[in-house]
Each structure stands twice: as C-alpha cells, then as structure tokens.
C-alpha cells in the first residue's frame, strides 16, 4: 500500500515538473516574433513634462533627459513707485517719466496735476518712495504644491499609454479570433507583458527626473530633500493600481 502511494506521488510530481517546465519554456525561454510598430510607438514615445517654473523636460524611452527647454522670461522694465503725500495715490515712474497713476485700489486714474508722460520732480512734488515687498521664502508645502501638477501630468501620461497598450492587445486578440486563428497566450504574454515592462521603465525614469528637480528646489530653499518622499509613496501606490488594472484586463 505504501509503495502504491509512493509511486502515485512520484507520478504526480513528475507531471507537475513536466507541466511547470513546459509553462516556463513557453513564457520565458521560447522566443516569439513580437515586433509591432504600433506597440513600439506607444512604448517608445518621448515624455514631456512641464515644471513649476514653466520650463519643460523631454525624456527618451529610457527616462533620460534629452532636452530641457527653459521658460521664456519677460524682461521687465525697472519701475519706481511714489506715494503722493496727503493723497491715496501712487505714481509709477520709469527713467523719471510718469507711466501710470493709481488710486488706493490700484486702479488707473487721471490725476489733476501729474500727467502720464510728464517728468516727476521730487523737489516740486512731495512724494514718498514705495518700497517693494521682499519676496517671502516659499514653504515646503508651497514647493510641493507647485510640483503636484507635474506629477499628476506624469501619472496621466502613464495611464494613457497603458490604456493604449491594452486597447492594442484587445484589438489584436479580436482580429485573430475573427480570422479563426489559434490564440497563443504565451505569445500575448511575452509581447504585451514585455511592452508593459518597458513602458514602466520609461515612466520610472521620468519620475526620477522630476523627483530630482523637486529635491533640488527643496534644498535650494534650505529644506531637506526627504520632504519629497510623499510623492514617491503616491507614485508606488499609483503603479500598484496600474498593475492591477493591467492584470484585470489580461484575465
């Protein structure tokens, strides 16, 4: 009796090893012709991200920065502002010439004696120079809030590409069924799982580039770069969600 059980167990084990070996061979060893221009177009499309300062990053399929376009900076004319003594009026001046007169609500007005284009003579007109307010140091929360849109845009691109990849897989599957072709699931696994893995690497590289920019901004303002860690936690959570979405569409 014991010998019979032993032989049965050995037989089952042999079958498991054979089946398992076949599955491993089909999924991991055997190579299929999975070249597809449409899939490559989805996976290899460059990523563009806009940073809070208006500059843009362009990254290749490996997540490397291939171009950084600086934001166009408008050259501002240096202006001076003077408050007329005894009046709630501010006069704006460039090179000694009056270019605008404002009331207390910063609305443009016409003054009785000081006209736009005239020269402001401080000796004849009692004025007090209005000192511009010093720029306040941004807080950690402000810096992170400025980057939230950039990270959200990256997630949007990732989801869009994944949906495109899933749509392409479904279209190919439906076409094969319609043509009466035998469905080779190992081929689909190798092709689309491989494409999804490549796409994940691309998005990972883009995330790291954006994350590094955030850390640079934090340290430039005297804060520890570790304050950026919440974005990494959110990113890993989003990746998990995307994987679940991919698997639910494969099943």
């Amino acid at each position: 009796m014991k010998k019979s059980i032993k032989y049965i167990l050995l037989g089952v084990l042999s079958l498991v090893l054979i089946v398992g070996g076949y599955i491993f061979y089909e999924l991991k060893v055997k190579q299929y012709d999975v070249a597809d221009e449409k899939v490559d177009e989805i996976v290899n499309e460059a990523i563009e991200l806009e940073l809070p300062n208006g500059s843009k990053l362009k990254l290749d399929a490996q997540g490397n920065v291939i171009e950084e376009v600086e934001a166009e900076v408008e050259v501002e004319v240096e202006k001076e502002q003077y408050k007329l003594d005894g009046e709630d009026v501010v006069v704006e001046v460039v090179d000694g010439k009056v270019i605008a007169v404002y009331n207390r609500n910063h609305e443009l007005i016409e003054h009785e004696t000081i006209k736009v284009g005239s020269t402001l003579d401080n000796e004849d007109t009692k004025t007090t120079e209005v000192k511009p307010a010093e720029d306040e140091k941004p807080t950690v929360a402000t810096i992170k809030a400025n980057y939230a849109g950039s990270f959200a845009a990256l997630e949007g691109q990732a989801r869009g590409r994944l949906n495109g990849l899933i749509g392409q897989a479904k279209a190919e599957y439906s076409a094969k069924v319609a043509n009466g072709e035998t469905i080779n699931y190992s081929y689909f696994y190798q092709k689309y799982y491989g494409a999804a893995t490549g796409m994940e690497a691309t998005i990972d590289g883009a995330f790291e580039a954006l994350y590094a920019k955030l850390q640079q901004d934090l340290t430039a303002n005297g804060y520890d770069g570790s304050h950026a860690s919440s974005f990494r936690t959110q990113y890993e959570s989003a990746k998990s969600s995307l994987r679940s979405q991919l698997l639910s569409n494969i099943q």
Side-chain angles (χ1 to χ4, degrees):
M1 182 67 175
K2 289 184 179 181
K3 283 188 176 182
S4 298
I5 294 174
K6 180 180 179 181
Y7 289 137
I8 291 172
L9 291 175
L10 285 173
V12 171
L13 178 60
S14 299
L15 180 62
V16 169
L17 289 173
I18 292 171
V19 173
Y22 173 76
I23 293 174
F24 177 81
Y25 170 76
E26 281 290 313
L27 297 181
K28 300 295 185 180
V29 179
K30 186 176 180 180
Q31 296 297 311
Y32 296 93
D33 181 10
V34 296
D36 189 316
E37 290 185 2
K38 291 182 178 179
V39 171
D40 290 342
E41 185 177 341
I42 295 171
V43 174
N44 297 326
E45 182 183 0
I47 293 177
E48 291 189 8
L49 296 172
E50 184 169 347
L51 300 178
N53 63 2
S55 62
K56 295 181 179 179
L57 289 180
K58 188 172 183 179
L59 304 102
D60 62 16
Q62 286 71 48
N64 302 311
V65 178
I66 56 178
E67 186 179 3
E68 183 170 354
V69 181
E70 297 292 337
E72 294 184 4
V73 179
E74 294 184 4
V75 179
E76 293 188 4
V77 179
E78 188 173 347
K79 303 174 184 177
E80 297 175 301
Q81 289 187 338
Y82 297 90
K83 188 177 187 329
L84 299 184
D85 287 355
E87 299 183 51
D88 287 326
V89 174
V90 173
V91 181
E92 200 163 57
V93 178
V94 172
D95 294 333
K97 297 286 186 182
V98 176
I99 63 169
V101 182
Y102 301 95
N103 63 15
R104 66 165 67 182
N105 297 320
H106 204 71
E107 298 169 334
L108 285 170
I109 62 170
E110 291 187 8
H111 196 270
E112 292 181 359
T113 58
I114 300 176
K115 304 297 182 183
V116 172
S118 63
T119 301
L120 181 65
D121 191 336
N122 290 348
E123 293 182 0
D124 298 335
T125 307
K126 293 182 179 180
T127 59
T128 303
E129 186 174 358
V130 179
K131 301 292 185 181
E134 295 185 5
D135 293 335
E136 293 185 3
K137 177 182 174 181
T139 63
V140 170
T142 300
I143 296 172
K144 292 174 67 174
N146 289 339
Y147 275 85
S150 299
F151 281 105
L154 176 59
E155 181 179 344
Q157 289 189 53
R159 290 186 180 277
R161 292 185 184 204
L162 178 59
N163 290 333
L165 191 62
I166 291 172
Q168 181 61 28
K170 287 181 175 180
E172 183 177 4
Y173 178 85
S174 298
K176 288 183 179 294
V177 171
N179 294 331
E181 298 179 38
T182 301
I183 302 299
N184 187 328
Y185 293 99
S186 298
Y187 158 82
F188 273 91
Y189 171 86
Q190 193 173 106
K191 179 176 181 176
Y192 288 100
Y193 182 78
T197 301
M199 187 179 70
E200 181 180 3
T202 299
I203 301 299
D204 280 350
F207 171 82
E208 293 300 337
L210 185 56
Y211 192 79
K213 288 289 185 182
L214 169 56
Q215 288 186 311
Q216 288 172 14
D217 270 8
L218 286 167
T219 54
N221 285 282
Y223 303 116
D224 196 299
S226 63
H227 286 294
S229 61
S230 60
F231 282 104
R232 186 176 295 282
T233 301
Q234 293 172 13
Y235 178 67
E236 294 299 334
S237 176
K239 279 178 64 174
S240 178
S241 174
L242 287 172
R243 286 196 193 97
S244 299
Q245 181 182 345
L246 178 62
L247 289 174
S248 67
N249 279 275
I250 290 175
Q251 294 172 353

